Amino acid sequence: MVFIVAPSLVPGPMILLALFNTLILSFKFRQRINFSLTKHSFIGGALGVLLGALLIGNLSATQYQKIFGFLMLFAVSLSIMGITPKVTRLTSLIASSISGLMGTITSAGGAPMGLLYQSEEKTTVKANLSIYFVYLNTIAIVALWITGESGIQDLYAFVSLAPAVLIGVYLSTHFDKLINASAMRFLVLLVATLSGIVLVI
């Protein structure tokens, strides 16, 4: 959605903001991180980011957005029908590769990993996805800087918007207790659906 409202924030500034947010959450939920699973996500994410960094300057992002959008809507459809993948080494590798590729090109790479973790306990989701995106966003912004797709202007934009992240983190502590497992899964599917629709149209 940011791509439509403020395209200048995609991908550099949004990746920096996501990095800042996930650093905070990773520290907060550090005791629940499962590195035996996330290490496979790290590998897949790195492969996706590197591929995305190579492709972003040579091919149209619009085509990728449509493909990713349809894939997300397809995954949501499977979830609604009760077909949900378990978090394993293989599924972590596949989902993180797609996530890394999507995130580097469109700054919207969270949906594949969110769909994978949709049935997990919410603290587990926050801990493992946060540390994954710290790693992924770090690689993504470095790759974009090296390829010339990001620069000092992105840093300026990040600094101006960082207070909004802090406000969001603060507010989330008050709303966290209101969200149970069913609500968490509903929100994941809702965000994935909206992301897919936005990317397709």
Side-chain angles (χ1 to χ4, degrees):
M1 292 185 181
V2 175
F3 187 86
I4 295 175
V5 177
S8 63
L9 297 179
V10 178
M14 287 303 298
I15 290 176
L16 287 170
L17 290 167
L19 175 59
F20 183 41
N21 183 42
T22 51
L23 274 170
I24 296 172
L25 294 177
S26 294
F27 180 77
K28 182 178 180 180
F29 299 104
R30 60 191 181 279
Q31 301 298 330
R32 298 297 299 272
I33 296 173
N34 183 352
F35 284 103
S36 64
L37 283 178
T38 52
K39 66 182 180 182
H40 295 89
S41 299
F42 293 167
I43 296 172
L47 294 174
V49 166
L50 293 175
L51 180 59
L54 292 173
L55 294 177
I56 192 171
N58 300 313
L59 297 174
S60 170
T62 303
Q63 295 175 332
Y64 291 105
Q65 289 168 22
K66 291 186 181 298
I67 293 173
F68 293 146
F70 281 118
L71 286 175
M72 278 194 284
L73 293 175
F74 176 68
V76 169
S77 300
L78 293 179
S79 297
I80 293 174
M81 291 187 294
I83 304 173
T84 55
K86 292 183 178 180
V87 181
T88 65
R89 295 174 180 178
L90 179 60
T91 57
S92 294
L93 188 65
I94 294 172
S96 60
S97 297
I98 299 172
S99 173
L101 180 60
M102 287 178 60
T104 305
I105 294 176
T106 69
S107 294
M113 294 298 288
L115 288 169
L116 178 61
Y117 275 84
Q118 64 181 281
S119 298
E120 300 294 317
E121 192 270 328
K122 66 178 181 179
T123 304
T124 300
V125 174
K126 292 177 185 177
N128 290 287
L129 291 192
S130 292
I131 193 63
Y132 163 72
F133 282 112
V134 166
Y135 171 81
L136 185 70
N137 289 322
T138 300
I139 292 180
I141 198 62
V142 170
L144 290 175
W145 273 64
I146 291 174
T147 57
E149 296 296 328
S150 182
I152 193 66
Q153 295 83 3
D154 292 343
L155 185 59
Y156 293 151
F158 160 72
V159 171
S160 68
L161 293 170
V165 173
L166 294 175
I167 293 172
V169 170
Y170 172 75
L171 291 176
S172 70
T173 60
H174 296 280
F175 287 96
D176 183 62
K177 295 179 181 180
L178 301 176
I179 302 177
N180 56 28
S182 298
M184 184 76 171
R185 183 172 185 271
F186 172 77
L187 289 173
V188 168
L189 293 177
L190 177 63
V191 171
T193 301
L194 292 176
S195 298
I197 292 172
V198 169
L199 289 173
V200 168
I201 60 177

